[in-house]
Amino acid sequence: MAATGPCFSVAGFCPALVRSCLTPSSSSSGKMKSNPVPNLTRRFAVSTEQVQIKTEATTTSFPDNERLKMERLENETQEKKIPLLWELAEAEKKHRKSMKDYFEESKDLIRSDGGPPRWFSPLECGSRLDKSPLLLYLPGIDGVGLGLIKQHYSLGKIFDIWCLHIPVKDRTSFTELVKLVERTVRLENCRSPNRLIYLVGESLGACLAIAVAARNPAIDLVLILANPGTSFKKSQLEPLMPLLALLPDQLQLGLPHILSLMTGDPLKMMMDNVTKGVPLQLTVGELSQDVAAMSSYLSVMGDILPRETLLWKLHLLKSASAFANSRLHAVKAQTLILSSGKDQLLPSQEEGQRLQHLLPNCENRLFSDCGHFLLLEDEVDLANIIMGTSFYRRGAYHDYVSDYVPPSPYEFKKIYESVRLIRLATSPVMLSTFEDGKIVRGLAGVPSEGPVLYVGYHMLLGFELAPMVSQFFFERNILLRGIAHPSMFRRLKEGRLPPMSQYDIFRVMGAVPVSGTLFYKLLSSKAHVLLYPGGVREACHRKGEAYKLFWPEHSEFVRMAARFGAKIVPFGVVGEDDFFEVFFDYDDQMKVPFLRDYIIDIAKESKSVRTEENGEVGNQDMHLPGVLPKFPGRFYYYFGKPIETQGRKELKDREKAHELYLEVKSEVEKCLSFLKEKRESDPYRYLLSRLSYQAMHGITSEVPTFEL
């Protein structure tokens, strides 16, 4: 792509996509003059006061290109026998930029740098969603504005992105930067009052975001703060400032220090890739290339932050920290803190915890192995983080249905690889049933078109979820929207429950809190919905209760499914008793005073469910059963024959609906009985026999099972 260079813009004018033009620049006197655009690669959409042209071909042709690309890839993958999903993931990976792109494009930006700070919009960030929010990126001490470069492709699908560029020689004060960003925010809010504005800031930029939010509490803002500079006084930077002023210009930061800042922990990155199955030789080679590339661009770092500029930025950060800290009490905006565990510049981990307690509507996420430049880390996908924390919204409130965006093939592949060891240990066998009653291995028998409601047995602690949900997406491109416990989404107070971050992956994969309204919305949108009537009572069952259903006496879902003509697929899953045996259950724990208090405290931290039910079904107290591990067996899933509700007017009657409810429950019990019987004839039921088979046929080979 050819590109223009960045140019002066008045805050509030929308970045325009341009191919070639005369760019206005600013002299020291503040007068405007026209200069030819240098012949660079076109990477940025430029915002100017005069130019407001948007090249339609850049955005409108994309869906057609994607469709043609998918058709071509599908034909190629049929010949190569490579999953289409992985081919699409690799194609998407090629669109994502790297550290090399960061340095190359930084060189373009600072080559003829001058004038005041201004906004630019990367051309690859053309959002394809209606009513996409505006995302304003506020850079850290580098000031280049390319801190999101690895995120442009994914974020550009769901946001309209503007990036702030602060030229190397610019000496605008912090208060003037606040006014510049504030002016943009107010103009855009005035232009589109119902359009949400996100402020994404790193270190210095995070202080800018806090300051703007504090001064504009009436504007609906969402703050995403990566390693905020509010911890400056606690860092090692402040005492270094006098020393930096005495250093000669020729003395640059050392290579090891630069690498630690840019990559976090290279060894950890390498071991993560090995765990995912990437060959060690390839992993080491890629890491060596990254190190060599970064070492070759050290001069660019010197151009971005020469000694005088670095000293100015540190003074700027000091004043920004003081300004932001003095106004934290006025911040009302929804805030997400992203903290690095290995930040060499700021004590970001401790600062994230401090801000979480000070800000009223704030969540914190820790990235233990990341360095200061968090958003340039390979393992950090900001779009995924925003989805996983339920921070993406296009209105005043987050809607779990209309605001949900499924993971892309590249994002899903990373999730799929993260549960690789679980799949290897459980070697799941999945059976499905066609409408004519034929049972097949795999998921070919489940309906393709929604709405579909999957109703089944909840295994101990929900261990069946990861292999099942990932396999549905991988094999059938079906996203199961699970109805989940409210504690995974919102807490009444913090305490003994696991941190919210542990449930981010469920939200990324489409889980929603249990709610009749959301159930209605999912079915009306023709979704594939996953429902466990047994809930927590089934997933935290007692000793000797494996494969026993704890369903309410009255139907919860049949009439709703019938209203939208949803097909109901009963299913069972067995295998937990080949991995664990419960020896210390709820009844035992309630006899121990401190454990009883622990369980009661947990119940107070989240919204209660099934309060109207009596007996064991209504007992939805969460606890962790004591289990003894067994030598690993295997997970078996059986999805029964789909039950049609379309056109069945009799299901409006409560009694008829209850009859179907009992039929579904009976079918689930039959699925469980079928699997318990058939697994006895599986020669590869246990781990050693499967490992022996895979040693002969390849670790990725599908292990056989019993005959159908």
Side-chain angles (χ1 to χ4, degrees):
M1 261 189 175
T4 67
C7 64
F8 174 75
S9 77
V10 176
F13 282 86
C14 177
L17 304 183
V18 296
R19 294 188 178 276
S20 61
C21 64
L22 296 180
T23 67
S25 63
S26 178
S27 65
S28 58
S29 64
K31 296 181 179 179
M32 305 292 292
K33 61 181 181 179
S34 295
N35 294 326
V37 178
N39 186 19
L40 307 175
T41 56
R42 190 189 307 115
R43 298 185 179 94
F44 310 115
V46 187
S47 164
T48 73
E49 187 172 5
Q50 288 86 355
V51 182
Q52 295 189 58
I53 305 167
K54 190 159 188 175
T55 307
E56 295 298 331
T58 307
T59 54
T60 56
S61 63
F62 186 85
D64 293 334
N65 292 338
E66 284 294 299
R67 177 179 54 78
L68 293 173
K69 184 189 301 180
M70 288 187 66
E71 291 176 355
R72 176 171 51 80
L73 284 174
E74 189 169 6
N75 293 332
E76 293 175 356
T77 50
Q78 287 176 353
E79 297 176 3
K80 299 178 183 178
K81 296 184 179 180
I82 298 174
L84 173 62
L85 197 63
W86 287 173
E87 284 290 327
L88 293 173
E90 287 303 311
E92 182 181 344
K93 184 178 179 180
K94 294 177 182 178
H95 286 285
R96 292 175 178 253
K97 295 190 175 181
S98 64
M99 286 301 301
K100 180 180 179 182
D101 295 304
Y102 170 81
F103 288 117
E104 287 287 352
E105 297 187 16
S106 293
K107 284 197 301 184
D108 290 347
L109 273 171
I110 65 176
R111 182 172 297 169
S112 56
D113 220 359
R118 61 267 194 174
W119 300 101
F120 69 89
S121 180
L123 283 178
E124 64 268 28
C125 295
S127 175
R128 281 154 257 164
L129 292 181
D130 292 335
K131 300 179 182 178
S132 292
L134 175 64
L135 187 152
L136 302 180
Y137 171 68
L138 311 175
I141 59 172
D142 64 309
V144 179
L146 292 173
L148 288 179
I149 192 166
K150 288 189 174 183
Q151 319 286 339
H152 285 169
Y153 184 80
S154 55
L155 286 176
K157 297 177 181 178
I158 56 177
F159 288 106
D160 180 11
I161 302 178
W162 300 11
C163 303
L164 181 64
H165 173 64
I166 304 174
V168 174
K169 296 182 180 180
D170 180 75
R171 298 296 182 262
T172 303
S173 68
F174 180 74
T175 53
E176 289 302 314
L177 289 174
V178 171
K179 291 177 182 178
L180 184 151
V181 178
E182 182 179 59
R183 188 161 56 247
T184 303
V185 167
R186 289 180 176 178
L187 283 170
E188 288 304 310
N189 182 66
C190 182
R191 181 179 298 171
S192 303
N194 297 323
R195 190 188 195 193
L196 192 62
I197 300 176
Y198 284 68
L199 300 180
V200 178
E202 291 188 274
S203 59
L204 174 63
C207 295
L208 272 173
I210 290 172
V212 172
R215 289 161 58 103
N216 298 272
I219 298 179
D220 192 5
L221 299 173
V222 175
L223 308 186
I224 300 178
L225 313 178
N227 298 327
T230 46
S231 62
F232 181 81
K233 289 190 71 68
K234 302 175 187 176
S235 72
Q236 302 175 9
L237 293 175
E238 188 172 22
L240 288 177
M241 291 170 63
L243 177 62
L244 183 63
L246 300 175
L247 291 177
D249 292 340
Q250 293 80 9
L251 188 59
Q252 300 288 344
L253 293 173
L255 173 61
H257 187 58
I258 290 290
L259 292 181
S260 69
L261 293 180
M262 303 301 278
T263 62
D265 189 342
L267 181 60
K268 172 68 166 53
M269 293 164 59
M270 181 175 71
M271 294 309 300
D272 284 345
N273 281 336
V274 172
T275 304
K276 294 174 185 176
V278 180
L280 181 61
Q281 183 178 0
L282 179 60
T283 300
V284 174
E286 290 179 350
L287 183 61
S288 300
Q289 291 175 9
D290 289 341
V291 172
M294 281 188 280
S295 63
S296 67
Y297 285 109
L298 282 179
S299 61
V300 181
M301 287 298 297
D303 293 336
I304 294 173
L305 287 174
R307 184 180 63 85
E308 289 184 0
T309 298
L310 180 57
L311 187 59
W312 165 256
K313 290 293 179 65
L314 293 179
H315 281 289
L316 194 63
L317 184 57
K318 181 179 180 179
S319 63
S321 177
F323 190 100
N325 276 306
S326 68
R327 289 161 174 79
L328 287 174
H329 64 279
V331 176
K332 308 300 180 186
Q334 184 183 17
T335 306
L336 176 63
I337 309 290
L338 309 179
S339 307
S340 293
K342 294 186 177 180
D343 189 341
Q344 304 296 317
L345 293 182
L346 300 169
S348 296
Q349 184 172 346
E350 296 79 7
E351 184 65 7
Q353 296 170 354
R354 183 182 79 94
L355 292 177
Q356 184 178 16
H357 288 99
L358 288 176
L359 298 174
N361 189 12
C362 180
E363 290 192 33
N364 182 33
R365 293 294 183 269
L366 174 65
F367 300 85
S368 302
D369 298 306
C370 292
H372 179 72
F373 295 96
L374 177 65
L375 299 177
L376 288 174
E377 298 273 0
D378 286 334
E379 69 179 73
V380 175
D381 189 321
L382 187 55
N384 244 15
I385 294 168
I386 292 172
M387 288 296 169
T389 52
S390 300
F391 263 66
Y392 185 74
R393 56 188 173 94
R394 284 172 281 183
Y397 303 97
H398 175 73
D399 188 311
Y400 287 98
V401 178
S402 63
D403 286 331
Y404 176 70
V405 179
S408 69
Y410 176 78
E411 293 163 348
F412 172 72
K413 187 177 182 182
K414 291 196 294 184
I415 296 173
Y416 192 80
E417 290 172 344
S418 71
V419 297
R420 177 173 175 267
L421 293 180
I422 297 177
R423 292 199 316 276
L424 182 64
T426 60
S427 187
V429 175
M430 298 198 183
L431 309 176
S432 60
T433 311
F434 286 100
E435 292 185 358
D436 61 2
K438 181 183 178 181
I439 302 174
V440 294
R441 183 170 183 183
L443 299 173
V446 300
S448 300
E449 300 296 327
V452 181
L453 180 61
Y454 301 84
V455 185
Y457 169 72
H458 212 353
M459 187 182 280
L460 181 67
L461 299 178
F463 283 120
E464 82 282 3
L465 280 169
M468 180 173 69
V469 173
S470 60
Q471 192 62 28
F472 261 79
F473 198 88
F474 174 75
E475 185 177 333
R476 294 296 309 276
N477 195 29
I478 291 174
L479 193 63
L480 293 180
R481 305 294 305 274
I483 306 291
H485 195 276
S487 63
M488 295 171 55
F489 302 87
R490 191 174 297 276
R491 306 283 169 80
L492 300 178
K493 63 177 183 178
E494 290 299 323
R496 300 178 182 275
L497 283 170
M500 293 289 287
S501 58
Q502 290 193 12
Y503 304 111
D504 287 357
I505 190 171
F506 293 96
R507 291 189 286 270
V508 169
M509 292 303 294
V512 304
V514 57
S515 159
T517 301
L518 291 175
F519 188 36
Y520 178 95
K521 286 184 176 182
L522 286 172
L523 291 178
S524 66
S525 64
K526 300 186 182 299
H528 289 248
V529 183
L530 176 62
L531 178 66
Y532 291 107
V536 172
R537 180 59 182 85
E538 212 163 80
C540 297
H541 61 69
R542 319 300 189 241
K543 289 178 287 189
E545 292 181 348
Y547 311 124
K548 181 179 179 181
L549 301 185
F550 290 90
W551 289 21
E553 288 295 324
H554 303 287
S555 62
E556 294 184 317
F557 55 83
V558 171
R559 295 177 72 202
M560 186 74 80
R563 179 170 185 169
F564 296 99
K567 294 179 180 179
I568 300 175
V569 177
F571 72 92
V573 51
V574 304
E576 65 175 77
D577 53 341
D578 279 344
F579 284 82
F580 309 102
E581 180 180 353
V582 178
F583 77 95
F584 192 58
D585 62 16
Y586 175 84
D587 296 332
D588 297 325
Q589 294 178 28
M590 290 298 285
K591 296 174 184 177
V592 182
F594 78 91
L595 289 177
R596 181 178 63 247
D597 294 341
Y598 184 89
I599 293 172
I600 293 173
D601 288 344
I602 287 178
K604 295 177 180 178
E605 292 176 20
S606 66
K607 182 180 177 182
S608 299
V609 296
R610 295 226 170 109
T611 54
E612 73 284 355
E613 295 289 341
N614 298 317
E616 285 299 313
V617 174
N619 184 354
Q620 296 287 317
D621 289 346
M622 288 184 290
H623 67 287
L624 187 64
V627 298
L628 292 174
K630 291 184 175 182
F631 192 77
R634 198 171 192 180
F635 281 1
Y636 301 86
Y637 301 76
Y638 175 34
F639 296 89
K641 181 180 177 180
I643 299 173
E644 188 67 69
T645 66
Q646 181 74 40
R648 297 181 62 176
K649 296 181 180 180
E650 71 274 12
L651 294 178
K652 293 181 180 180
D653 180 74
R654 290 184 182 274
E655 291 186 5
K656 294 294 183 182
H658 185 65
E659 290 177 7
L660 182 57
Y661 174 77
L662 295 178
E663 179 186 339
V664 173
K665 184 178 180 181
S666 175
E667 288 298 319
V668 172
E669 291 172 333
K670 289 178 182 178
C671 290
L672 293 170
S673 299
F674 174 84
L675 290 174
K676 286 192 288 184
E677 177 185 349
K678 296 295 289 185
R679 70 174 175 175
E680 298 296 333
S681 60
D682 184 1
Y684 300 100
R685 177 176 174 180
Y686 295 103
L687 182 62
L688 283 181
S689 58
R690 296 199 299 272
L691 291 178
S692 176
Y693 180 90
Q694 290 176 321
M696 297 177 60
H697 298 85
I699 193 67
T700 59
S701 59
E702 184 179 60
V703 181
T705 186
F706 50 77
E707 293 186 4
L708 295 175

